[in-house]
Amino acid sequence: MISGTTTFLCVPLLLLLLTSLDASSGYVIEDDPHSPYNHGEPFFQNVHPRGLPDPLEDVADGRRLHPALSLNKHSEIHDGVPEGGSGTGANEGAPKSRQGASPLTRFSFPDRGLQRAAAAASVSILEGHWARMKSKIETQDAEGPPNTDLWDLLLFVMRSDLYLPSTDRTLVQSEQCVRDVETIYKPDTEEQWSTAFRIVDSWGKMPDGLLWGNIQAAGAFDECLSIRGNSSSSNTSSTSDDVLSSFKGKYCSISLKDSVNSGNVTTAVRMPGLQASGFPSLYTMYGTCMPSSCVQEDLLISLNEALSKSNKSVAQLYCQTDDPPPLHFTPGLVVMICLLSLFGLLLLAGAALDCWIDFSGKKEMRQGPLKYLLAFSLTTNLQKMFHINTAGSQEAITCLYGMRVLSMAWVVWCHQYMMVIFVEGNLGSITNIFNGHWLSQIMMNGYPSVDSFFFMSGLLVAYGILRERKHTGKVNLLVFYVHRYIRLAVPILLLCGFLATFTEYLAHGPNALWLKGSFSLQEACQNYWWRDALFITNFFVARSTPTSCLGVCWYTAVDFQIFLFTPLILFPFLWEECFRVTKRKLNIVGLVWLGVVVCISVLVPGIITGIDELPPTGIMSLSDMDMSYKYNKEVYMASWCRAQPYLVGMGLGILFRRDGKKKVKLEMWQVVLGWLIATATGLAVIFGMYDYNQIGKYPGYNWADSVFYASLHRLAWGLALAWVVFACHYGYGGVVNSFLSHPSWQPLSRLTYCMFLVAIPVQTIIYVYNDFYPLYFSHLNKVLETVGALFVSGVGAVLLSLCTEAPVMGLEKLLLRRDKEKR
């Protein structure tokens, strides 16, 4: 066991020593026109055991010898002693400054057989990986470059030109940068050797599980930033003596693209699109470490020069040090700092005034001009936010508390699976994790979670407006629309402004690279915030790039657009004086009109799906990206195709207002049958797409299945939820009602809208921009990540609600007073 463990640990050590050994350790560095110190050549390409031919030139029968055969041919080499050598005088002829500085002095290989075993193990591992990659390439009918073998794969992690700026002074203008890089190539002192080792060690090299989907070689971010080194630089004063100059480690994230492809990184750097060293590579991003004296432009120019022969170029480059990022006081940042400071001042001033009134007992101050400041009171709004009402109310639909929170958790859980999938380290196993697992279906077909919010929105809007009509005798449409817009838009505006200015200061790590380009949350918020604030996001759908600041605002857009037509749908109930019929006949007319609208909402998505041959819903097995884009644009984000659950909710709201506090009496068999049908319907909606959600196993297009499911599944889900709410509201919910109506749901239910807005930015910032190493994809890990995202989103929702929702609702009561209720 100990021998096997030691062998395993020696494998990466031997590969690391290959890039660092010099003449003092029994290894030679040939001095020729193709020196490895010349930028563009493989890193320490000509480093090999003294007396052992260069593996690149080790030939047999006129053909280059396979690296495995080359190692076997010279397997008698051990302890750094060349063939025929005595093992003595290893340091003879070496520069005095470097004698004794060899890294080999720190390690010993007392067992000759152990060394050969380690070398054989490394060759076996690499051969297996290479064979699997070649097999995958052949099965995918991909065309690989000629003369590609195992040694090419090894050389990729030994090419310094992919990691360091050039030493060519025509490319790099900074003399100090050139000298620092040369010190890494040719360290003289023990300290410089240690620094060079740590820099190379922190580079992103061929990762474990490359062929199992670990396509990120991020390297060691913290190790790079902790590096402190020095190099010799010419003194610019009158003396010509050398002095030491110090530098720190600077970490840079790099992604590449095909030079002939003008597309963005999302299309150019997909597996297996990156071809950095002349062979198909699976990397999407890799990290490097260079001296802090080199600026980002030095590395960019050097990389593009080195990659030009491979017809590649840098798509994105982002460098960081351990210094805090400088503040760029743009007009937008200044405005947001002032605005947030103002909100903080108002919250504290309102809280101070609130406490003073309670302490002094001057209750009349709450009715004076200071009442507008009290709307911002931090203490009062927190108390309202976390207040738990145990008294209950017959008019309150209490089961919506739990339903709202659970739907919110479902949405965040689904997003956690999908939005960070490209930073996972085991993409190759995702198919096995997804396919055939019942839990996967709840996530892959989690779209009804959004339909639940449409249902609850329609229910509460109809219930609220009809209650106002009953109490006041009229409906003020201006107040109706203004209230809705302010309620939804103000949190969106503040959050968009914050993300547009502060996101770059919240990212730290290898993936901070995504702050720029197609995955930039900050740029999306700077460019598209107005779409979210005007509720027109769903009219802008793109194939791969963001079209809005907040990804969930397509929902708020659809919800608001349906809301605009609510008075028209409820017309018979709101303006009953226009109909000279009895109240009973008026209810019939209203319900018939609602039924017609529901029928139209069922036919429209079915017709669009049938004519364009679209899939029944968003499915995982569909590999046609153009078809997925077309489905999102024409069905998923189209308000005229998403109204079914909203309309069902409105119908239930009408029923609740018509019956008032009167309990609907049902027989036991009716209750049992209702629960059975609702449960079966909900399960059919979620698991009905099981065959379509098997990755890589698309069953083929079926016109009948697609039209039927697209037309009815949202209506069916809305009806299932309607029964749950109906049964719970009228006392037939049993344990379900006890669970959903529990008072402990109330605080979270008040925060669901702000959590809905905050969750995706939180998930992006935590699990993408601040991810140091690839995540491991599993159901358990996703549940744990979701819990963390919900907690942080909850904290953010509290802050956002305190600054927007709570004061807006308080000010609205003061400025947009409703007419007094009729006596």
Side-chain angles (χ1 to χ4, degrees), residues 399-646:
C399 63
L400 295 184
Y401 298 145
M403 185 178 292
R404 190 182 291 116
V405 175
L406 294 177
S407 297
M408 179 71 253
W410 191 5
V411 169
V412 176
W413 183 49
C414 292
H415 288 164
Q416 189 65 33
Y417 269 87
M418 304 309 300
M419 67 175 298
V420 298
I421 197 170
F422 69 95
V423 297
E424 306 290 353
N426 59 323
L427 292 175
S429 64
I430 286 181
T431 298
N432 295 332
I433 295 174
F434 270 140
N435 288 355
H437 199 291
W438 66 272
L439 194 62
S440 300
Q441 301 306 310
I442 301 177
M443 185 281 304
M444 290 191 288
N445 196 23
Y447 306 107
S449 61
V450 181
D451 292 319
S452 300
F453 281 108
F454 282 125
F455 164 79
M456 288 183 283
S457 180
L459 168 59
L460 294 176
V461 167
Y463 188 72
I465 193 173
L466 291 177
R467 181 175 58 181
E468 180 180 349
R469 173 69 173 80
K470 181 178 181 180
H471 290 170
T472 64
K474 62 180 181 179
V475 175
N476 189 327
L477 289 182
L478 178 61
V479 173
F480 179 72
Y481 287 123
V482 171
H483 164 76
R484 187 69 169 183
Y485 180 82
I486 293 177
R487 163 76 171 80
L488 298 180
V490 174
I492 291 175
L493 285 170
L494 184 63
L495 184 57
C496 286
F498 177 84
L499 295 174
T501 52
F502 283 96
T503 302
E504 62 179 303
Y505 306 108
L506 302 177
H508 181 71
N511 285 335
L513 170 78
W514 304 120
L515 280 171
K516 304 294 181 182
S518 301
F519 294 97
S520 174
L521 177 62
Q522 180 164 314
E523 292 182 8
C525 289
Q526 291 173 350
N527 297 329
Y528 307 126
W529 62 269
W530 55 275
R531 297 177 180 175
D532 297 344
L534 295 177
F535 303 111
I536 55 175
T537 302
N538 60 321
F539 296 142
F540 301 89
V541 183
R543 285 177 169 80
S544 58
T545 57
T547 57
S548 68
C549 170
L550 305 176
V552 296
C553 275
W554 71 267
Y555 162 81
T556 57
V558 172
D559 181 86
F560 190 79
Q561 290 161 18
I562 300 175
F563 172 82
L564 292 176
F565 294 92
T566 299
L568 179 61
I569 299 173
L570 295 177
F571 179 79
F573 302 97
L574 297 179
W575 290 279
E576 55 186 25
E577 60 273 8
C578 299
F579 300 86
R580 296 183 178 180
V581 295
T582 62
K583 190 172 183 178
R584 181 174 178 275
K585 291 183 178 179
L586 180 63
N587 289 333
I588 295 176
V589 171
L591 293 177
V592 169
W593 169 235
L594 179 63
V596 171
V597 177
V598 171
C599 290
I600 295 174
S601 71
V602 170
L603 292 174
V604 170
I607 292 173
I608 295 175
T609 300
I611 292 177
D612 293 340
E613 296 187 351
L614 298 175
T617 185
I619 54 178
M620 293 292 294
S621 61
L622 185 64
S623 59
D624 189 345
M625 293 297 102
D626 290 336
M627 187 62 68
S628 295
Y629 157 75
K630 194 173 183 180
Y631 169 78
N632 285 333
K633 181 180 180 180
E634 297 185 6
V635 177
Y636 188 75
M637 296 185 182
S639 54
W640 43 88
C641 294
R642 301 304 302 266
Q644 298 173 24
Y646 194 99

Side-chain angles (χ1 to χ4, degrees), residues 218-293:
F221 179 84
D222 287 330
E223 181 183 21
C224 174
L225 297 191
S226 68
I227 291 174
R228 298 293 183 271
N230 61 70
S231 62
S232 299
S233 65
S234 297
N235 193 348
T236 57
S237 62
S238 58
T239 179
S240 59
D241 295 336
D242 284 355
V243 297
L244 292 178
S245 64
S246 61
F247 63 83
K248 300 187 296 185
K250 177 182 285 188
Y251 180 91
C252 297
S253 306
I254 304 165
S255 66
L256 307 181
K257 68 177 180 180
D258 204 332
S259 295
V260 298
N261 187 350
S262 59
N264 56 51
V265 67
T266 60
T267 57
V269 190
R270 291 284 188 182
M271 184 171 62
L274 184 75
Q275 299 180 14
S277 190
F279 64 89
S281 171
L282 307 182
Y283 296 109
T284 58
M285 182 272 287
Y286 72 97
T288 185
C289 187
M290 67 178 184
S292 57
S293 57

Side-chain angles (χ1 to χ4, degrees), residues 721-796:
L721 293 181
W723 167 259
V724 173
V725 176
F726 174 86
C728 292
H729 188 63
Y730 286 123
Y732 302 106
V735 66
V736 175
N737 181 54
S738 299
F739 176 71
L740 295 178
S741 299
H742 196 276
S744 60
W745 294 113
Q746 295 176 20
L748 288 176
S749 69
R750 299 186 186 104
L751 294 170
T752 50
Y753 176 63
C754 286
M755 286 184 67
F756 188 72
L757 299 178
V758 169
I760 283 187
V762 163
Q763 291 170 291
T764 302
I765 292 172
I766 293 179
Y767 296 105
V768 179
Y769 292 165
N770 288 279
D771 178 40
F772 282 65
Y773 294 99
L775 303 172
Y776 187 83
F777 189 96
S778 70
H779 290 305
L780 177 59
N781 282 351
K782 288 304 166 187
V783 171
L784 297 177
E785 292 169 15
T786 301
V787 172
L790 285 170
F791 175 79
V792 180
S793 300
V795 175

Side-chain angles (χ1 to χ4, degrees), residues 125-437:
I125 292 172
L126 291 172
E127 278 188 307
H129 279 235
W130 182 241
R132 290 176 61 189
M133 189 168 80
K134 289 179 65 178
S135 174
K136 288 194 174 187
I137 293 173
E138 291 170 357
T139 57
Q140 294 174 1
D141 297 327
E143 183 178 357
N147 301 323
T148 300
D149 58 18
L150 178 62
W151 192 249
D152 294 320
L153 192 63
L154 288 171
L155 287 181
F156 177 73
V157 302
M158 298 165 59
R159 285 190 55 178
S160 61
D161 55 352
L162 297 179
Y163 296 94
L164 291 173
S166 174
T167 56
D168 186 349
R169 287 167 172 80
T170 62
L171 296 176
V172 178
Q173 301 301 316
S174 171
E175 180 66 23
Q176 189 58 52
C177 174
V178 173
R179 291 183 178 276
D180 290 342
V181 172
E182 287 178 340
T183 301
I184 298 173
Y185 282 125
K186 295 182 275 189
D188 287 327
T189 66
E190 186 76 14
E191 182 180 357
Q192 290 176 354
W193 269 106
S194 176
T195 300
F197 262 114
R198 294 178 65 194
I199 286 179
V200 174
D201 182 57
S202 67
W203 287 350
K205 298 175 282 291
M206 184 174 64
D208 298 332
L210 175 65
L211 302 179
W212 199 235
N214 187 13
I215 57 177
Q216 294 185 87
F221 179 84
D222 287 330
E223 181 183 21
C224 174
L225 297 191
S226 68
I227 291 174
R228 298 293 183 271
N230 61 70
S231 62
S232 299
S233 65
S234 297
N235 193 348
T236 57
S237 62
S238 58
T239 179
S240 59
D241 295 336
D242 284 355
V243 297
L244 292 178
S245 64
S246 61
F247 63 83
K248 300 187 296 185
K250 177 182 285 188
Y251 180 91
C252 297
S253 306
I254 304 165
S255 66
L256 307 181
K257 68 177 180 180
D258 204 332
S259 295
V260 298
N261 187 350
S262 59
N264 56 51
V265 67
T266 60
T267 57
V269 190
R270 291 284 188 182
M271 184 171 62
L274 184 75
Q275 299 180 14
S277 190
F279 64 89
S281 171
L282 307 182
Y283 296 109
T284 58
M285 182 272 287
Y286 72 97
T288 185
C289 187
M290 67 178 184
S292 57
S293 57
C294 302
V295 297
Q296 186 166 303
E297 287 70 21
D298 292 334
L299 183 60
L300 177 63
I301 295 173
S302 302
L303 286 175
N304 283 330
E305 175 69 18
L307 293 165
S308 59
K309 295 180 181 179
S310 300
N311 202 26
K312 300 290 168 187
S313 62
V314 176
Q316 289 178 276
L317 176 63
Y318 187 77
C319 297
Q320 304 167 76
T321 65
D322 60 353
D323 297 324
L327 285 174
H328 305 290
F329 287 100
T330 61
L333 181 60
V334 173
V335 170
M336 281 306 302
I337 291 175
C338 294
L339 186 60
L340 293 176
S341 300
L342 176 61
F343 277 122
L345 181 62
L346 290 173
L347 293 177
L348 295 177
L353 177 60
D354 212 354
C355 294
W356 168 251
I357 293 175
D358 291 339
F359 177 77
S360 63
K362 298 180 179 180
K363 305 295 184 181
E364 67 276 3
M365 296 179 65
R366 296 187 181 276
Q367 305 302 321
L370 292 176
K371 62 185 178 182
Y372 299 104
L373 179 59
L374 289 173
F376 291 88
S377 174
L378 177 64
T379 55
T380 298
N381 289 334
L382 278 175
Q383 290 174 1
K384 292 179 179 178
M385 187 181 300
F386 292 99
H387 174 69
I388 296 179
N389 181 14
T390 58
S393 171
Q394 289 186 342
E395 288 196 351
I397 310 175
T398 56
C399 63
L400 295 184
Y401 298 145
M403 185 178 292
R404 190 182 291 116
V405 175
L406 294 177
S407 297
M408 179 71 253
W410 191 5
V411 169
V412 176
W413 183 49
C414 292
H415 288 164
Q416 189 65 33
Y417 269 87
M418 304 309 300
M419 67 175 298
V420 298
I421 197 170
F422 69 95
V423 297
E424 306 290 353
N426 59 323
L427 292 175
S429 64
I430 286 181
T431 298
N432 295 332
I433 295 174
F434 270 140
N435 288 355
H437 199 291

